[in-house]
Amino acid sequence: MLYYDQNKNYRDFEVLRDENKCIQCQVCVRQCSYEVHTYDEKHDEVTADQTKCVGCHRCEAFCPTDALKIRKNQSEFRDNALWTPQYLKNIYKQADTGGVLLTGMGNSYPYPVYWDKMLLDASQVTNPSIDPLREPMELRTYLGAKPDAVEVHGGNGHPRLDTSFAPQIPIEYPILFSAMSYGSINLNIHVGLARAAEEMGTLYNTGEGGLHPTLYQYGKNTIVQCASGRFGVHTDYLNAGVAVEIKIGQGAKPGIGGHLPGEKIGPEISLTRMIPEGTDALSPAPHHDIYSIEDLRQLIYALKEATDYKKLVFVKIAAVHNSAAIASGMVRAGADVISLDGFRGGTGAAPTMIRDNVGVPIELALASVDERLRQEGIRNRASLVVAGGIRCSADVVKAIALGADAVYIATAALIAVGCTVCQRCYTGKCPWGIATNDPYLAKRINPEIAHEKLANLIRGWGHEIQEMLGGMGLNALESLRGNREKLRGVGLNETELNILGIKHAGA
Amino acid sequence: MEINAKGIYYRDLNKMIREAVAGGERSFVLRNINGQRYIGDGIEGKVKMDLYGTPGQDMAAFMKGPEIVVHGNAQDGVGNTMDDGKITITGMAGDIVGYGMRGGRIYIQGDVGYRVGIHMKAYKDKIPAIVIGGKAGDFLGEYMAGGVIILLGMFGEDRNGRPAAGDFLGTGMHGGAIYVRGGVDEHMLGKGLKPEEATPEDMKTIRPYLKEFCQVFGLDLNGILDGSFSKIAPATHRPYGNMYAY
Ligand code: SF4
Ligand code: SF4
C-alpha cells in the first residue's frame, strides 16, 4: 500500500519534449498555469512534472519549434472491460480525499449521439434545389409566443392585423450563445460574446452571475438569467436585456445547484454578484419560491410584472425523463421560450457522477417535448431553444427539423476561442484564459479577436445551414421547423425511431 | 392617489400603479385589496403605498426603493429578491419572505411562514434586514449569505407552546446573522451552527432595526430589549470548501 497519492505516477498525460528541437525559450514555462514545465538554470534545461498535466495542449500550441507533444500516458493496466483505468484512478483519489469527484464541460461517456444517426434529405429531379448564393434564403427566426390564430380585417389590398402579438425577438441566425456566468468565465469572453451577438443579430446569455456594468450597452442582444442564487438580480438587470431566463436546471448537472468557490470571488465578481469577496457563491438546487408549476407561473409573472410585460421570459430546464410533461406545464405557466438542455451540455464545474450519469440526450428530449406540445395544441405558445452538445451546423439543421426554433451553443463557442475541452474548468486555472478570472490568464483572451472568431463561427454555420436548406429545396428555415420528413434514421431501433418521430433511412 | 381595488384584476391594478408612478405619482392608498398578486413588483424610487386588505403572492418582488405598509396580513413571497425600500406588515406574512433579498428592510409584526429570509445577501454597506415580531416556520435564513434577521417571538398569534424559531434554522448559512430573542435550542439549528449570546456590540447593531420596528408598530423598545438575544452566525463563509476531490 502506498502512503502517498497513488495516482501520482498514474498520470493521464505524457509531456514529450524533443530535446533536439527544444531551444529552452521557456514559452511553455510561462504558458502552463499548472506549473508542469520548469526551467533548470544550472543545466540550462526545461523539464516537466508530468503528473500535473491536464492535457490542455496550450504549451504544445505555443511551442515555437514544435518540440512538444502531449500524449495519453502509454502506461497500461491489464485490460479489463469493467475496471477501466478511469475507475481505478477515481477510487484512489477518493480514498485519499473522501471528496466528491469534480469535473468540467459536458458528459464525456460514449453514449449514443443521435445526431450521428440521422441523415438529412435533399432534392433530386422532382423538386428543384435552391442555390443560396443566388436566391434569398431566410434564416430569421422570431422567438416568442405566437397567437392561436391570426385575425385580419379589411381585404381589398389593405388588410389590417387585429390580433395583438406577445413581444417577439427576431434573431438572424437560429444560434444563440448559451448561459455562461461571469465568474465561471471572464469578462473578456463576455465582451466577445456580446459583440459577436450584436454583429450577427443574435443573443448571448449572461448566465447567473449578474451583468458587468460595461455590458449594459449590448442589451438588445442580451438574455439575463435569474437562477436560484438570485445573484446580481435587480430591476436594472432585469430590464437590461430583451429577455429574462429563469434557470431551473442545467444539462450537465440536473437536479443540483452550483457552487462558485470563494477563491473565484474577486472584487469584480463580487460587484456583479453582490456578495462579499471570498464567500462561496451558492446556488441552491431548487428556487425556493418554486416547488410546483403554479409557483413557476408565479415567478414568470412576477418577472413580467417587474418588466412591464416588455421582456420575454425563458425557462431553462435540464432534459430529464419527464421533460415533455414538465414542458407542457412550463408553457401553461406562461413561459415564452423553453430552453431545453440535454445531458451533454457543458459546465464550469459539476460532480462527475452527475454529469456522466444523469439526464437525457437532447435529440430524444427535443423530439418528445415538441411532439407533446403539438399533441396538446400549445406548441405555438412558446418557442423551443435546445442545447447540450451542438457541434456543427448539421446538428443545428437536424435540431430544427426535429422541432427546435433555435439552438444554444456554449462549448462550441469556447472551442472557437481556443478551448481544448480539457475538462478542468473548475480549477480556475484555464491556460487558454477562458474559464478563469486570474488577470494574468484572462489577458490571453482578446475581446476583439474573440468577437471576430465567434462571429465567424456563426457566419460559417449560417452559410452551411443555407446550403443544406437549399439542397432540400427550402428557402426558409420556417419550412424546415418540425419537418421530420426531412430526417431519416440509420441504425436506430423501432423505439428510438418512434421517439424521434422519423422513418428509417430507405423508407 | 386612492384606488378601490375591489374586483380589479391584478394585471389591471398593477398597470394602473405602474402608469401612475411613471406619471409622477408618489403616494398610493389601495383599499379592499383582496389577493391581487405582484403589487409593487419592480417599482423604483420614492413611492409610498398604503395597502388595506390582504395583498397576494410576491408583493414587492424586485422592488427598488418604495415603502409599502400593509394594514393586514400578507401572503407568500413578500419582498422576493427585493433590492431596496421598506415593507411594514401589521399582521402576519406567509412563506419565503425576502428570498434572495439584497437591500431594504421588512418589518412584520406577527408570525411568518416557512423558508423566510432564504439566501439573503449583503454587499458592502448594503445590508438587508427582516424583523419578525412573532414566530417563524422551519428553514428561517437557510443559505443566508448576508444581512440580518431578527426573530422576536413576542407578537404573534400563538404565544404559548412552540418556540419562536422552527427547525433547520440557518441551514447552509455562509454570511449574515440571525438573532433570536429568548434563545434557541441548538438542535433546531442547521448543521454546524451554534447559538451564542449576543454581545453588547451585536445589540448595538440590531438596536436601530428594533427601534424602527417599535416606531412603526407603536411598541415599547424597552419591553423588547429586556429579554436575552441569541446570535446565530455562520461557521464558515465556505460551507462546501472541502467537499471536492481535485
Ligand atoms: S500547458 Fe496544458 S498540456 Fe501543456 S503541460 Fe501544462 S497542462 Fe499539460
Ligand atoms: S474552458 Fe479552459 S479549462 Fe475548460 S475545458 Fe476549455 S480549455 Fe479546459
Side-chain angles (χ1 to χ4, degrees):
Chain A
M1 184 175 175
L2 272 177
Y3 292 99
Y4 61 86
D5 179 4
Q6 190 162 346
N7 275 331
K8 199 161 172 291
N9 288 342
Y10 303 155
R11 54 184 181 270
D12 290 333
F13 296 96
E14 286 181 340
V15 180
L16 307 180
R17 190 186 318 275
D18 184 338
E19 297 300 344
N20 294 325
K21 289 183 177 170
C22 176
I23 51 168
Q24 287 84 39
C25 69
Q26 300 168 52
V27 162
C28 52
V29 178
R30 288 186 293 276
Q31 291 299 325
C32 179
S33 49
Y34 291 92
E35 293 165 346
V36 170
H37 306 277
T38 38
Y39 176 61
D40 176 351
E41 223 164 317
K42 210 157 101 203
H43 302 96
D44 185 28
E45 180 180 65
V46 182
T47 56
D49 175 357
Q50 310 186 67
T51 59
K52 296 182 188 157
C53 176
V54 304
C56 76
H57 291 264
R58 175 84 184 183
C59 57
E60 184 181 329
F62 276 71
C63 177
T65 60
D66 193 25
L68 283 170
K69 287 285 162 282
I70 306 297
R71 298 252 166 87
K72 270 202 213 146
N73 188 356
Q74 298 291 308
S75 159
E76 302 278 12
F77 294 88
R78 184 176 297 283
D79 279 343
N80 189 315
L82 184 66
W83 295 102
T84 58
Q86 204 49 50
Y87 289 104
L88 270 57
K89 291 182 191 180
N90 283 348
I91 289 174
Y92 299 139
K93 202 188 284 181
Q94 289 188 293
D96 281 339
T97 63
V100 171
L101 297 168
L102 209 58
T103 187
M105 300 315 269
N107 195 316
S108 64
Y109 276 28
Y111 292 103
V113 178
Y114 287 94
W115 302 128
D116 298 340
K117 295 169 186 258
M118 288 186 282
L119 291 170
L120 289 161
D121 196 17
S123 305
Q124 297 295 298
V125 184
T126 54
N127 55 336
S129 45
I130 299 170
D131 182 351
L133 297 178
R134 261 166 289 274
E135 295 184 55
M137 187 66 71
E138 181 73 57
L139 294 190
R140 179 180 291 176
T141 297
Y142 288 88
L143 298 176
K146 310 293 183 292
D148 293 336
V150 180
E151 280 174 37
V152 269
H153 77 273
N156 303 336
H158 297 286
R160 290 258 184 286
L161 188 65
D162 287 335
T163 315
S164 66
F165 271 62
Q168 306 282 320
I169 307 173
I171 47 172
E172 301 305 325
Y173 293 86
I175 305 161
L176 284 58
F177 297 120
S178 193
M180 289 178 275
S181 71
Y182 176 44
S184 72
I185 57 172
N186 57 60
L187 190 58
N188 290 340
I189 309 267
H190 260 201
V191 173
L193 289 165
R195 289 189 189 160
E198 184 182 49
E199 183 189 334
M200 302 311 290
T202 181
L203 308 172
Y204 87 107
N205 188 316
T206 61
E208 63 169 307
L211 186 59
H212 196 271
T214 56
L215 292 176
Y216 275 77
Q217 54 179 308
Y218 304 104
K220 278 204 165 55
N221 303 93
T222 307
I223 302 167
V224 298
Q225 211 181 41
C226 172
S228 64
R230 305 284 158 90
F231 296 111
V233 177
H234 48 84
T235 43
D236 296 340
Y237 172 78
L238 293 175
N239 284 299
V242 286
V244 182
E245 181 171 80
I246 300 173
K247 179 197 172 190
I248 301 288
Q250 175 178 353
K253 40 181 172 177
I256 67 164
H259 300 161
L260 188 66
E263 300 102 19
K264 286 196 178 176
I265 314 288
E268 292 282 298
I269 311 285
S270 141
L271 168 77
T272 61
R273 297 215 174 205
M274 303 288 285
I275 51 168
E277 285 179 45
T279 314
D280 277 354
L282 306 181
S283 289
H287 287 248
H288 280 289
D289 50 357
I290 304 178
Y291 287 7
S292 67
I293 292 290
E294 291 73 19
D295 289 349
L296 174 64
R297 182 179 178 81
Q298 190 174 308
L299 183 60
I300 291 173
Y301 278 88
L303 288 167
K304 290 193 177 201
E305 286 280 341
T307 55
D308 201 13
Y309 293 87
K310 291 190 180 117
K311 311 292 176 190
L312 273 71
V313 176
F314 288 44
V315 182
K316 175 175 179 176
I317 58 163
V320 289
H321 300 178
N322 56 345
S323 300
I326 297 164
S328 159
M330 286 156 66
V331 174
R332 292 170 198 282
D336 298 296
V337 177
I338 292 178
S339 314
L340 193 60
D341 194 12
F343 80 152
R344 274 183 236 103
T347 177
T352 311
M353 290 302 120
I354 305 265
R355 186 196 74 170
D356 291 340
N357 294 287
V358 182
V360 173
I362 189 60
E363 304 90 322
L364 302 179
L366 159 60
S368 61
V369 166
D370 178 69
E371 179 57 25
R372 175 74 173 256
L373 298 181
R374 280 173 197 279
Q375 278 171 6
E376 294 186 9
I378 55 174
R379 178 63 184 84
N380 60 302
R381 281 165 54 182
S383 299
L384 188 52
V385 178
V386 301
I390 307 279
R391 306 157 298 172
C392 61
S393 59
D395 292 354
V396 180
V397 172
K398 291 171 190 176
I400 287 173
L402 278 179
D405 287 282
V407 305
Y408 261 140
I409 59 168
T411 304
L414 296 188
I415 294 172
V417 295
C419 165
T420 52
V421 199
C422 74
Q423 308 175 42
R424 292 293 178 276
C425 321
Y426 58 88
T427 64
K429 292 192 206 167
C430 174
W432 289 92
I434 299 166
T436 177
N437 273 284
D438 174 339
Y440 174 70
L441 297 172
K443 247 189 358 225
R444 295 179 179 184
I445 294 290
N446 173 321
E448 254 328 297
I449 298 174
H451 160 191
E452 205 178 296
K453 287 186 181 251
L454 290 162
N456 276 341
L457 180 71
I458 303 282
R459 202 172 286 123
W461 286 19
H463 285 312
E464 291 173 341
I465 293 170
Q466 289 183 334
E467 261 165 20
M468 283 181 266
L469 277 180
M472 287 185 266
L474 304 175
N475 62 5
L477 204 57
E478 206 49 58
S479 315
L480 180 68
R481 200 155 274 133
N483 189 347
R484 299 190 194 181
E485 255 310 303
K486 299 288 181 204
L487 291 170
R488 288 291 187 274
V490 274
L492 295 174
N493 65 35
E494 203 65 34
T495 312
E496 292 166 317
L497 291 169
N498 273 337
I499 294 168
L500 290 166
I502 59 174
K503 297 189 189 110
H504 202 278
Chain B
M1 182 178 192
E2 180 152 341
I3 301 173
N4 180 358
K6 192 169 164 107
I8 303 185
Y9 187 48
Y10 79 82
R11 226 181 269 195
D12 302 325
L13 177 67
N14 292 328
K15 195 164 171 237
M16 234 187 269
I17 297 171
R18 273 198 302 273
E19 282 172 1
V21 170
E25 183 62 54
R26 288 291 170 262
S27 162
F28 294 84
V29 177
L30 308 180
R31 298 198 188 275
N32 295 315
I33 293 288
N34 192 5
Q36 283 96 343
R37 298 177 166 205
Y38 317 122
I39 295 173
D41 283 22
I43 304 272
E44 298 187 26
K46 290 251 156 294
V47 174
K48 165 109 202 274
M49 292 189 206
D50 275 279
L51 270 58
Y52 293 87
T54 308
Q57 311 278 81
D58 271 350
M59 183 192 83
F62 311 108
M63 182 175 89
K64 188 180 186 177
E67 179 180 348
I68 298 185
V69 181
V70 179
H71 303 268
N73 299 325
Q75 294 191 333
D76 300 341
V78 169
N80 190 347
T81 321
M82 163 177 166
D83 192 62
D84 201 3
K86 181 170 143 187
I87 300 172
T88 306
I89 296 165
T90 63
M92 28 186 203
D95 298 342
I96 49 164
V97 175
Y99 173 22
M101 181 183 178
R102 48 201 288 120
R105 287 148 294 156
I106 301 180
Y107 296 116
I108 298 154
Q109 189 165 11
D111 298 323
V112 295
Y114 294 93
R115 314 196 302 274
V116 168
I118 292 196
H119 217 307
M120 279 167 78
K121 301 179 176 41
Y123 180 66
K124 301 215 161 133
D125 52 7
K126 197 164 165 139
I127 298 170
I130 300 178
V131 184
I132 302 153
K135 297 179 179 185
D138 298 344
F139 297 105
L140 180 71
E142 190 188 16
Y143 277 114
M144 196 168 169
V148 177
I149 298 177
I150 305 171
L151 181 64
L152 300 177
M154 297 172 75
F155 309 104
E157 293 264 296
D158 63 52
R159 266 171 241 196
N160 308 315
R162 79 183 173 89
D167 281 329
F168 308 108
L169 183 133
T171 302
M173 87 186 277
H174 49 292
I178 304 175
Y179 297 87
V180 183
R181 188 181 184 274
V184 54
D185 285 342
E186 196 173 326
H187 73 86
M188 305 185 69
L189 305 186
K191 220 167 109 191
L193 297 175
K194 275 195 181 28
E196 311 259 344
E197 201 185 319
T199 62
E201 197 53 37
D202 292 330
M203 292 312 290
K204 229 165 88 190
T205 309
I206 65 172
R207 194 185 163 91
Y209 301 117
L210 292 175
K211 201 168 150 203
E212 191 170 22
F213 178 84
C214 289
Q215 244 161 33
V216 297
F217 297 121
L219 297 165
D220 172 28
L221 181 60
N222 291 326
I224 293 175
L225 287 176
D226 69 12
S228 69
F229 280 81
S230 284
K231 177 185 183 182
I232 296 98
T236 163
H237 296 286
R238 312 269 334 261
Y240 305 113
N242 294 322
M243 208 176 114
Y244 299 107
Y246 280 84

